[in-house]
Amino acid sequence: MRLHIIARGKIARSPEAELVDRYMKRIAWPVRLTELPDNGGSIPAGQTPAREILLDERGKQMSSEDFAALLSKWRDTGVREARFFIGAADGHGDAARRDADLLLGFGPMTWPHLMVRAMLAEQLWRATSIVAGHPYHRSG
């Protein structure tokens, strides 16, 4: 299953970009990052079947192990792509929230969008490592 981060705004050269790049390189599953302008721009066509996950401060909070189990379940049931959407400063519209397969949150605090990319990339690496059976220090 391909993991696809679709984010509004350009990350450019920054410490956050280095973190995102570091974790993206570690992920053993196929992974892609698409940057879109803050407004407009076309979202690339996804693979079918796919799941759409919106990062949202009001979204479901999950443990790393639960997140890994969800990705594993989707992969094992034929989902070809998980698309993670990080919105612009105003977040996502009501229609996008309603149509998403999952609203995922990193807590009720507001996080800078560049940090959310790094946090998501790290959690994708962690989840795929858990699925691959690598020892996870928090298990048990």
Side-chain angles (χ1 to χ4, degrees):
M1 179 173 73
R2 179 165 71 176
L3 306 171
H4 189 172
I5 300 172
I6 301 167
R8 294 270 176 200
K10 301 289 183 184
I11 199 168
R13 295 175 73 171
S14 65
E16 296 89 354
E18 290 176 23
L19 276 174
V20 170
D21 189 50
R22 180 182 309 166
Y23 286 111
M24 295 285 281
K25 287 178 180 175
R26 292 180 182 178
I27 298 170
W29 295 14
V31 63
R32 178 178 177 189
L33 171 64
T34 299
E35 291 184 325
L36 299 173
D38 286 338
N39 294 305
S42 60
I43 296 172
Q47 297 182 9
T48 304
R51 294 291 180 269
E52 293 194 355
I53 303 95
L54 272 58
L55 279 285
D56 188 284
E57 64 190 17
R58 295 169 281 177
K60 181 177 182 175
Q61 296 177 42
M62 304 176 79
S63 71
S64 297
E65 289 173 310
D66 289 343
F67 185 53
L70 178 63
L71 293 180
S72 180
K73 175 184 165 192
W74 284 346
R75 182 197 62 184
D76 294 347
T77 57
V79 173
R80 300 205 41 205
E81 183 175 58
R83 306 178 91 202
F84 296 87
F85 291 88
I86 301 172
D90 293 334
H92 305 285
D94 291 336
R97 264 193 206 89
R98 187 175 49 252
D99 294 343
D101 294 293
L102 174 65
L103 297 178
L104 179 63
F106 290 145
M109 292 181 170
T110 301
W111 294 97
H113 290 217
L114 299 182
M115 287 298 300
V116 170
R117 285 189 208 187
M119 293 163 58
L120 176 59
E122 192 279 341
Q123 283 300 302
L124 290 171
W125 165 74
R126 185 177 302 273
T128 55
S129 295
I130 292 168
V131 171
H134 292 288
Y136 180 47
H137 74 282
R138 301 285 305 257
S139 292

